[in-house]
Amino acid sequence: MLRRDVLVGLAMIGLAGCSAPRGRIGPDGLPLPQIYRITATEAADIPFRMLDGVNTLRQATGARPLQLDPQLTAAAATHSRDMAVQNRPWHFGSDGSSPIDRLRRVGYTGPLVGEVISETFETEIETLSAWMREPTTRAVILDPAASRMGLAWFQEQTGKIWWSMVLAG
C-alpha cells in the first residue's frame, strides 16, 4: 500500500510539471502577446526614453542628437490615431495626406527627413529595436540631416499600439 501511494504521489508530481504554461494561449498554441498598457506615468516618460534611445544610437554613428519638437509630435499624434481608424500601418492619412502635408498642417516649415511607423503590442524600446533591424527605417532614424523628432502613439482598447515617429531638419 505504501509503495502504491509513493508511486501515485510521484506520478502526480510528474504531471504537475506538465501543466499548461501560464498566460493565455492563442489558437495556434503559441502564447498570446503580453499587453503593454500605457499609463499616464508611462506616457510622460515614453518620449524621453525614446529620445534617449535614438540619440544613443545616433551618437554611435557620429550623428548629432535630436530634440523633441511639439509640432512634429502633434503631426505624429494625428497620424497614429488615423492609422488606428484605418486599421493599417501606412504613411498616408485617410484623407490622402502625406507626412509633409501633416507637417505643414501643424505649422512646421523645416524639411521632413522621414517618418517611421509601427502597429504592435510592444513597448517603445522594443519598437525602436524593430525599426533599427530594418534598413529603411534605420536609415531615417540615423539620418544626419535630422535635428528634431516627434513621437506619438495611439493605444486601442485591445492593447494594440500605433506608433509614429517623425524626424525633420
Side-chain angles (χ1 to χ4, degrees):
M1 184 68 127
L2 179 61
R3 183 174 175 186
R4 186 184 76 185
D5 290 342
V6 169
L7 289 174
V8 168
L10 288 173
M12 290 173 63
I13 290 171
L15 289 173
C18 297
S19 66
R22 295 182 187 258
R24 296 182 13 214
I25 302 297
D28 58 0
L30 297 174
L32 293 173
Q34 294 292 320
I35 295 177
Y36 171 55
R37 289 278 176 207
I38 299 175
T39 65
T41 302
E42 289 290 318
D45 294 340
I46 286 171
F48 299 102
R49 286 197 301 255
M50 182 67 89
L51 181 66
D52 287 346
V54 167
N55 281 338
T56 298
L57 294 165
R58 289 175 61 83
Q59 181 181 17
T61 66
R64 65 182 165 178
L66 303 177
Q67 295 178 351
L68 285 174
D69 185 283
Q71 290 175 309
L72 298 180
T73 296
T78 298
H79 192 54
S80 291
R81 187 167 193 60
D82 193 43
M83 285 190 300
V85 169
Q86 296 181 73
N87 196 32
R88 63 178 169 181
W90 74 323
H91 294 283
F92 296 97
S94 57
D95 61 356
S97 63
S98 71
I100 293 172
D101 295 330
R102 290 188 290 276
L103 291 190
R104 299 303 174 249
R105 286 178 186 165
V106 298
Y108 191 83
T109 58
L112 172 71
V113 171
E115 176 183 71
V116 293
I117 57 174
S118 180
E119 166 196 15
T120 186
F121 288 90
E122 296 178 327
T123 68
E124 68 283 353
I125 299 304
E126 291 168 315
T127 300
L128 176 58
S129 179
W131 284 337
M132 291 302 288
R133 286 191 299 270
E134 293 296 322
T136 54
T137 52
R138 178 185 179 92
V140 170
I141 293 167
L142 299 179
D143 192 318
S147 62
R148 309 190 80 62
M149 179 184 99
L151 174 75
W153 61 90
F154 178 79
Q155 187 165 35
E156 296 179 354
Q157 290 295 322
T158 63
K160 184 189 295 185
I161 306 169
W162 300 86
W163 295 100
S164 297
M165 182 193 299
V166 180
L167 282 80

